[in-house]
Amino acid sequence: MKSLLHYLLLVSLFVPCCYLSAQTRNPYDLKLDQLYQHISSADKLEKLVLLDQMFRLRERLDDRGHLESLLSSLAADSRQPSIVVQEAAALSDELESESKSSAGPRWLSNEGTRQQVISEAASRVRPNDAASYQVLAELEFMAGSPDAASHMERAAQLGPTAERWQRLALFTNDPFRKFAALESGLALAPTDSQLNLQLGVYYVGRNQLEKARDVLMLASSASPDDFVLRERLAALYLNLGLRSQALREFKQLQERFPRPLWLRSQLALEYEHLGLRDEAAGLAASLLGEENNCAEMLELLARFHAGRQMTAELKADYLALSRIQPHSVEIWKRLAQLEFNSGDLNAARSALSHLLQLNPADAEAHRLLAQTYQRLHMDAQAQQELSSVQQASNAAPGTASAQQEDKDFLENTSSVVKEAFLHQLHRADVALADVRVQQLEANGLDRVHVQQLFFIGSDAALDAHRLTEIRYSPSSEILRVIRARDWKPDGKSLDAQDLGDREESDSSLSMYYDARTRALRFTGLEKGDVVEVEYAMSPALRSSQYGKYFGELVFFAGQAETQLKRYVLIAPSTETIYSHAEKVQPPTVLARDENKIFVWESHQVPALLREPRGPGMTELAPYVHVSTFSDWRQLGAWYADLVRPQFALDQTLQEKLSALLEGKHNDREKIAAIQDFVLRSTHYVAQEFGIYSYKPYPVAQTYARRFGDCKDKASLMIALLRAAGIEARLALVRTRSLGSVAATPASIAVFNHAIVYIPKYDLWLDGTADYAVRELPLDDQGAMALTVALDGTAQLRYTPMSRAADNYTRHIIQAQLTSHGTIRFSGSTAARGEDAPGLRQELSVREQQLDSWRRDLAQVFPSVQVYSVTVRDEKWAAEEKSDDSINVDFRGDLSSAPRKRLVSLSSTWMPRSYAATLAPSSTRSQDLVLFAPWTTEEEIHVALPAGARVAELPHDRSITTAFGSLRLHYRKLPGSILVQSKIEFDNTRIAAADYREFRDFCLNAERSFHNEIQVELPQ
């Protein structure tokens, strides 16, 4: 496997920037040739890896035929191992027949052969051989094994290279692990285009768009030939609203790289997003000329033809799509409607028959087929279909008949739209009507009917509404889009393009989570239009998964002004509904049949303005909270019954627990071991849908798949703690950032998080806080929490709030000023409380500690040099008195201007931008919410050279306010200077009326540290 060290550096999807800059050809064509050349010297397993990498380049090549030729030559080469010949032939066949929408290349169609190959690779692994670990990891990644990331990490640790760290970042879903891998790789190769691309994508995923832009700009300037990198940057410009800049980049890419299929398809979609529909359609048509089974481009052309009412072309698009995606209900539905509208009744009948084979309970399809038979004078068949309409409607509660009953509560669309165009054409964004009708059935199921009308008055609204998404859970809900239209000022309307359902973008998660997003695209949307969306969700189940529980929290304000907000709740007369309306008038209560109807309504609701660090939504916005429970104990008993079966340990977890507890002598040590195990062995994924919005997955399943949401991780920790003899409870938490809420009624709808509560020690643990020890994350502190024991005991309480003394940082500097003006220093920082987890995360990768600490000091001293950093983390000491602090010792130099006799010494070695961080604006209309109080102490000792004289020593400074205090003290000692400071911020909430005074305190504190000590050096 020695040869792997020479060529697996090239197996990633992108080409290193140092190589690209010297080329004029498509870099991916060059990459393909390089990979092929290395096959001759590779062994059997390495050849399989290289084949996979070659195939993954297919859409980025100028000439896919060249790839086909290379694969065919390998398939015909009798010198190659048989498994390589078979795989090359299979990939060659797939290249010829695959759909553009294919998820990716298959790898060894036989499962047994795949496992045999991986087993052989595993048998070749040697303990200190990075190359053997890398081959194993690559093969596991191709097979979709979760072990790929761990083995690639081992390879990167044994033989650190930028490419191995990049592959680890690609293989892992853990965001912390991914970021650490990217940072490690960039420390070795700061300009590597592959690493910078992934880092940019990482920042985009965390919505840190400015950071992403900076990373991608630098990388694309270093690698101008990497069109993947440049397209990502252009797309980011578009997301940032820099439309002209994005368009310029797209045009340059199209001119410079006219052939790669991937780039053309991406540009086609981006042009459509920019509203350049002719350009988009032209690119899509050119792609279809080469790959006529490209579903994505066919859908783009269909949207283009629909916008221009080109019926014949549109029918041809959907006929082609029906061949590519024969099981798509939405495609057959659209094709059937097109055939019916165009008068081709036999074709409509055929399409509808196929649709009903896929979905026999589709009442609308039965109704359209009945109309088709009537027009064909096939009366008997028409009557049969009408009967099927009734049966389908009855089988799906909450569809046609229920929606007809809802009309009393919906707005007349044409009247609202007409009024909007008469009076609001020059106004900003307005939610003209937002109506939600919800019906609770006697069996505990509920259905929802939503009507939304929105006036587009800004570019931001245009971008936000051009693609509208509706999320739902298909295993428990049936979604029906009733209307989705773009209304024009001339009274005409254009139907939105229903893009169908999309799974979660992370395919590794979608196999576990039942979640889909229905996407609606408004291709011709313009400023001044009105968007109409109406949809219904009815239950797909026969009985409620929640028993008799029902709860809902509905907000009555949004980012735009709302002319009408209406929430209608229909419930059986026998059901007691508890409610609280905040800043909303009491409901109108009606009676109909055996139901009672509650109608809450508000008019001319102002846009909800959010100031930075402002109160949570429920403290600012009007809302209605409804529930079938009024008492928290009743809710807790119900919730305990719901979750109790999920806590059973399987044999694997029982064995793991036994190993964890070995050598642990007290509860503290057991708690520490179990907490660390859950944090390290499972990563956090916030995916909560259907019944699992409230109910955790079985703990054995959470551990087996190694990820879960907050409930899953908390439940795993609780199950292990209870098995270890330590009583622990699930705590449902409403984090502080959401704002306080009225204490009644009682429902799960008010909570957004789950953590662990251990009553014996009054201890709260958050299973998603990867870098915490005993620190409770700030958003969990002072939060409303319902603790639920598995026996049903429940209590509403509030999590503890830390004090300024709990969130403590101490900074000590021992410095030596030389006669040349250089400062040699050593220092130590100790942090506990709010700063400790962040510091642990920042210093979690040993190879990055030096650079990370230098960056921190460089915020104050840009020219600082750091030579050593040592981290001491007092994690979970057995003694209760342990403060769980993290300590950092460091050493370095700080240079001043050479040959300068008068040296200025700073009063602080820490950033002190309190106003910019906490109170940047001059005024506020909302309270300022700070997450925690804190204390910072600093002590600076500066030893002076012989003959030096202190020319100026600032005066001591003391500030005491209701918000906090500052003490800054200077002392001149024999041969040295001592500066001591202590600052406390005591409050976590500043009233708007007190904001200016608080800001003055921040500014005065900052200015106090601006004073400098002047030292005159000896001649």
Side-chain angles (χ1 to χ4, degrees):
M1 279 195 201
K2 205 166 184 179
S3 61
L4 187 70
L5 289 170
H6 300 290
Y7 74 83
L8 266 186
L9 303 180
L10 303 170
V11 300
S12 60
L13 199 57
F14 307 103
V15 184
C17 62
C18 59
Y19 182 80
L20 288 177
S21 59
Q23 306 303 324
T24 56
R25 285 180 57 195
N26 179 334
Y28 299 100
D29 287 311
L30 296 170
K31 175 72 169 180
L32 175 66
D33 290 339
Q34 290 177 332
L35 292 170
Y36 181 72
Q37 290 168 10
H38 284 292
I39 283 184
S40 61
S41 60
D43 69 16
K44 177 181 67 176
L45 298 184
E46 295 164 352
K47 289 177 191 288
L48 292 174
V49 173
L50 288 169
L51 274 174
D52 178 73
Q53 296 299 324
M54 289 169 60
F55 192 84
R56 288 177 186 270
L57 292 172
R58 63 198 183 282
E59 291 177 0
R60 291 163 167 75
L61 301 173
D62 279 356
D63 182 10
R64 284 164 59 106
H66 182 48
L67 173 59
E68 167 63 24
S69 174
L70 296 179
L71 290 172
S72 297
S73 69
L74 287 170
D77 188 351
S78 59
R79 296 169 299 175
Q80 300 294 339
S82 60
I83 193 172
V84 174
V85 170
Q86 294 167 9
E87 185 67 2
L91 292 175
S92 179
D93 292 342
E94 187 168 346
L95 183 66
E96 185 176 350
S97 62
E98 73 168 357
S99 165
K100 174 75 161 47
S101 60
S102 170
R106 69 179 178 178
W107 179 60
L108 299 180
S109 57
N110 183 277
E111 171 68 22
T113 307
R114 285 200 298 272
Q115 292 305 318
Q116 183 178 351
V117 167
I118 291 175
S119 296
E120 183 178 345
S123 69
R124 295 189 188 185
V125 168
R126 295 189 295 277
N128 297 312
D129 181 17
S132 62
Y133 274 106
Q134 184 168 358
V135 171
L136 175 59
E138 294 284 355
L139 293 170
E140 288 173 331
F141 176 65
M142 292 157 62
S145 168
D147 296 326
S150 296
H151 289 136
M152 185 57 73
E153 186 170 32
R154 182 63 178 154
Q157 291 169 342
L158 289 171
T161 66
E163 290 76 14
R164 285 183 178 131
W165 287 119
Q166 182 265 335
R167 296 300 280 173
L168 171 58
L170 182 67
F171 289 4
T172 183
N173 292 319
D174 183 340
F176 299 114
R177 197 180 195 182
K178 185 185 292 288
F179 183 73
L182 292 171
E183 287 282 279
S184 296
L186 288 168
L188 298 172
T191 60
D192 188 282
S193 64
Q194 308 161 42
L195 289 160
N196 280 291
L197 175 65
Q198 284 188 250
L199 183 60
V201 172
Y202 170 84
Y203 282 135
V204 170
R206 299 178 68 84
N207 205 34
Q208 296 175 278
L209 301 185
E210 285 76 15
K211 277 191 175 183
R213 177 198 60 198
D214 294 343
V215 168
L216 294 176
M217 282 180 65
L218 284 172
S220 62
S221 64
S223 306
D225 294 322
D226 193 332
F227 53 80
V228 176
L229 190 64
R230 290 181 56 188
E231 188 280 333
R232 291 287 184 254
L233 176 60
L236 182 59
Y237 285 148
L238 194 56
N239 286 339
L240 289 167
L242 304 173
R243 301 168 72 87
S244 60
Q245 200 166 348
L247 180 59
R248 183 170 62 253
E249 280 288 327
F250 290 143
K251 291 290 188 183
Q252 289 176 357
L253 283 167
Q254 185 180 353
E255 292 171 6
R256 186 170 179 186
F257 304 99
R259 298 192 62 188
L261 298 172
W262 174 85
L263 183 60
R264 276 191 283 167
S265 64
Q266 286 297 113
L267 289 176
L269 295 170
E270 300 294 0
Y271 283 152
E272 186 191 32
H273 188 54
L274 281 163
L276 303 174
R277 290 181 286 277
D278 291 327
E279 289 86 344
L283 274 175
S286 73
L287 280 164
L288 290 171
E290 299 176 31
E291 247 184 80
N292 56 14
N293 60 347
C294 174
E296 195 169 29
M297 292 300 102
L298 272 169
E299 289 175 351
L300 188 152
L301 269 182
R303 295 192 289 272
F304 174 79
H305 292 142
R308 282 162 173 69
Q309 299 181 347
M310 301 167 69
T311 304
E313 291 81 358
L314 190 57
K315 285 171 60 176
D317 296 336
Y318 280 114
L319 279 168
L321 280 167
S322 69
R323 289 191 291 270
I324 298 173
Q325 300 177 355
H327 302 296
S328 170
V329 169
E330 289 302 319
I331 287 172
W332 284 103
K333 187 178 294 185
R334 294 175 203 147
L335 179 59
Q337 190 70 57
L338 277 168
E339 302 284 17
F340 181 85
N341 292 344
S342 66
D344 193 342
L345 299 178
N346 286 315
R349 179 179 63 175
S350 175
L352 286 165
S353 298
H354 192 95
L355 172 60
L356 287 168
Q357 288 177 7
L358 297 173
N359 186 13
D362 190 331
E364 290 302 312
H366 283 294
R367 183 178 289 106
L368 188 58
L369 185 55
Q371 294 175 18
T372 303
Y373 281 134
Q374 287 171 345
R375 292 192 184 185
L376 289 168
H377 305 293
M378 301 170 69
D379 295 335
Q381 291 90 336
Q383 191 59 44
Q384 182 178 346
E385 287 304 317
L386 288 172
S387 299
S388 297
V389 171
Q390 188 62 43
Q391 292 171 7
S393 299
N394 292 339
T399 54
S401 58
Q403 289 160 17
Q404 186 66 30
E405 294 176 4
D406 294 344
K407 286 188 178 296
D408 293 342
F409 307 111
L410 303 180
E411 290 299 285
N412 184 296
T413 300
S414 59
S415 298
V416 173
V417 171
K418 183 178 180 180
E419 186 72 14
F421 289 140
L422 281 174
H423 302 293
Q424 297 181 5
L425 280 175
H426 303 292
R427 293 182 58 182
D429 305 330
V430 180
L432 303 171
D434 186 357
V435 180
R436 179 184 180 92
V437 180
Q438 194 159 14
Q439 181 168 6
L440 176 61
E441 306 287 350
N443 60 6
L445 294 170
D446 70 282
R447 66 172 184 86
V448 176
H449 190 168
V450 173
Q451 179 194 40
Q452 295 172 326
L453 294 162
F454 195 93
F455 179 83
I456 305 294
S458 69
D459 287 332
L462 192 63
D463 290 337
H465 287 80
R466 187 176 279 118
L467 184 68
T468 296
E469 295 182 330
I470 306 168
R471 179 173 284 189
Y472 75 109
S473 176
S475 67
S476 58
E477 297 169 321
I478 299 170
L479 171 63
R480 178 169 174 253
V481 178
I482 301 168
R483 270 176 285 276
R485 293 184 285 193
D486 170 14
W487 288 89
K488 301 293 184 181
D490 62 5
K492 294 181 180 179
S493 66
L494 297 175
D495 287 339
Q497 177 74 23
D498 191 332
L499 303 181
D501 286 354
R502 301 180 179 182
E503 293 184 351
E504 291 304 298
S505 57
D506 188 340
S507 59
S508 66
L509 303 182
S510 62
M511 66 182 290
Y512 296 108
Y513 290 116
D514 175 40
R516 298 293 183 273
T517 297
R518 179 69 56 84
L520 307 170
R521 188 188 294 274
F522 295 89
T523 55
L525 192 64
E526 300 171 300
K527 284 175 63 175
D529 290 357
V530 171
V531 169
E532 175 194 8
V533 176
E534 183 181 349
Y535 63 89
M537 283 193 285
S538 54
L541 306 173
R542 295 186 178 275
S543 61
S544 173
Q545 298 168 297
Y546 308 120
K548 290 295 185 179
Y549 166 76
F550 170 78
E552 197 74 66
L553 184 67
V554 180
F555 287 101
F556 271 56
Q559 293 182 341
E561 174 192 341
T562 303
Q563 282 193 347
L564 168 68
K565 173 68 182 184
R566 180 181 296 138
Y567 175 52
V568 180
L569 177 60
I570 306 170
S573 299
T574 55
E575 186 70 69
T576 302
I577 298 295
Y578 302 94
S579 68
H580 174 82
E582 185 73 23
K583 303 173 189 171
V584 178
Q585 292 297 315
T588 300
V589 183
L590 309 172
R592 187 169 67 188
D593 300 330
E594 296 181 355
N595 292 324
K596 52 188 174 185
I597 303 171
F598 303 84
V599 182
W600 289 270
E601 189 170 299
S602 292
H603 296 267
Q604 307 303 327
V605 183
L608 181 62
L609 301 177
R610 302 293 302 276
E611 294 182 341
R613 297 181 182 269
M617 277 284 288
T618 43
E619 297 183 42
L620 299 175
Y623 68 86
V624 169
H625 181 201
V626 296
S627 177
T628 49
F629 291 144
S630 65
D631 184 274
W632 293 105
R633 287 176 295 179
Q634 183 185 12
L635 178 71
W638 163 81
Y639 190 64
D641 288 340
L642 182 72
V643 304
R644 192 177 295 112
Q646 311 302 93
F647 287 78
L649 300 182
D650 63 3
Q651 184 175 352
T652 299
L653 278 174
Q654 289 171 349
E655 292 172 356
K656 181 61 67 174
L657 179 63
S658 297
L660 285 173
L661 298 182
E662 189 174 345
K664 306 301 184 295
H665 305 294
N666 56 51
D667 284 354
R668 291 283 179 177
E669 292 180 349
K670 294 176 184 178
I671 292 169
I674 290 170
Q675 181 194 17
D676 188 68
F677 167 72
V678 172
L679 288 174
R680 304 295 166 238
S681 65
T682 60
H683 68 270
Y684 172 62
V685 176
Q687 301 281 345
E688 304 164 351
F689 308 103
I691 181 65
Y692 295 104
S693 297
Y694 302 150
K695 182 178 181 179
Y697 279 87
V699 296
Q701 185 175 345
T702 297
Y703 178 65
R705 69 191 193 197
R706 298 299 197 273
F707 67 81
D709 65 17
C710 58
K711 299 182 303 299
D712 299 325
K713 289 171 71 77
S715 298
L716 176 58
M717 199 182 298
I718 290 167
L720 293 169
L721 287 167
R722 288 172 59 85
I726 301 168
E727 171 61 20
R729 301 179 181 181
L730 196 60
L732 301 175
V733 175
R734 179 176 180 81
T735 53
R736 270 198 302 144
S737 59
L738 292 189
S740 59
V741 69
T744 57
S747 89
I748 299 237
V750 301
F751 300 111
N752 66 319
H753 194 35
I755 60 176
V756 178
Y757 178 60
I758 302 176
K760 181 177 179 180
Y761 301 103
D762 194 26
L763 182 63
W764 305 78
L765 302 175
D766 190 326
T768 68
D770 288 338
Y771 292 94
V773 178
R774 272 180 273 194
E775 305 96 351
L776 195 60
L778 297 180
D779 207 18
D780 293 353
Q781 295 183 18
M784 176 179 170
L786 181 69
T787 56
V788 181
L790 293 189
D791 64 2
T793 304
Q795 182 178 352
L796 188 69
R797 60 181 86 211
Y798 284 84
T799 59
M801 189 74 198
S802 57
R803 302 162 300 160
D806 299 322
N807 303 309
Y808 174 79
T809 300
R810 181 174 176 82
H811 204 56
I812 299 178
I813 300 292
Q814 298 283 352
Q816 172 71 55
L817 177 64
T818 70
S819 58
H820 301 291
T822 299
I823 297 177
R824 296 191 175 93
F825 65 85
S826 61
S828 64
T829 293
R832 66 171 183 262
E834 65 151 341
D835 282 343
L839 199 55
R840 288 192 189 100
Q841 181 178 356
E842 182 182 349
L843 300 173
S844 59
V845 180
R846 184 181 298 275
E847 295 82 359
Q848 300 170 21
Q849 290 174 351
L850 208 63
D851 287 342
S852 176
W853 201 253
R854 197 207 73 79
R855 282 197 300 270
D856 288 346
L857 285 174
Q859 295 180 55
V860 182
F861 304 114
S863 62
V864 70
Q865 295 296 319
V866 179
Y867 302 129
S868 70
V869 173
T870 303
V871 180
R872 293 176 288 110
D873 199 358
E874 306 297 328
K875 285 188 176 182
W876 278 103
E879 299 84 3
E880 278 192 51
K881 65 182 180 181
S882 168
D883 63 5
D884 302 319
S885 62
I886 177 172
N887 298 269
V888 184
D889 298 328
F890 50 93
R891 182 174 57 82
D893 281 353
L894 181 63
S895 300
S896 63
R899 296 183 298 276
K900 188 177 179 181
R901 288 201 60 202
L902 194 63
V903 176
S904 298
L905 302 179
S906 176
S907 294
T908 180
W909 283 47
M910 304 173 67
R912 301 283 186 173
S913 53
Y914 299 122
T917 303
L918 305 177
S921 59
S922 58
T923 60
R924 284 183 72 94
S925 60
Q926 298 171 2
D927 289 359
L928 174 67
V929 179
L930 305 179
F931 274 115
W934 75 91
T935 300
T936 300
E937 286 190 323
E938 187 176 27
E939 194 170 296
I940 305 169
H941 300 261
V942 182
L944 304 179
R949 185 179 69 86
V950 178
E952 184 176 339
L953 189 69
H955 296 293
D956 290 352
R957 180 77 165 147
S958 179
I959 304 174
T960 302
T961 71
F963 317 107
S965 62
L966 165 71
R967 292 196 303 276
L968 184 55
H969 178 59
Y970 300 88
R971 289 183 65 190
K972 185 166 61 173
L973 303 172
S976 68
I977 298 168
L978 172 64
V979 184
Q980 295 172 303
S981 65
K982 179 178 181 179
I983 187 166
E984 288 189 2
F985 282 80
D986 297 325
N987 291 4
T988 57
R989 184 155 182 151
I990 313 299
D994 298 329
Y995 174 74
R996 183 166 295 180
E997 187 179 348
F998 171 75
R999 189 167 188 267
D1000 287 343
F1001 167 59
C1002 293
L1003 289 168
N1004 289 333
E1006 276 187 38
R1007 295 188 190 109
S1008 299
F1009 288 101
H1010 291 169
N1011 296 320
E1012 294 181 332
I1013 304 162
Q1014 302 293 325
V1015 175
E1016 186 178 325
L1017 297 176
Q1019 291 283 1

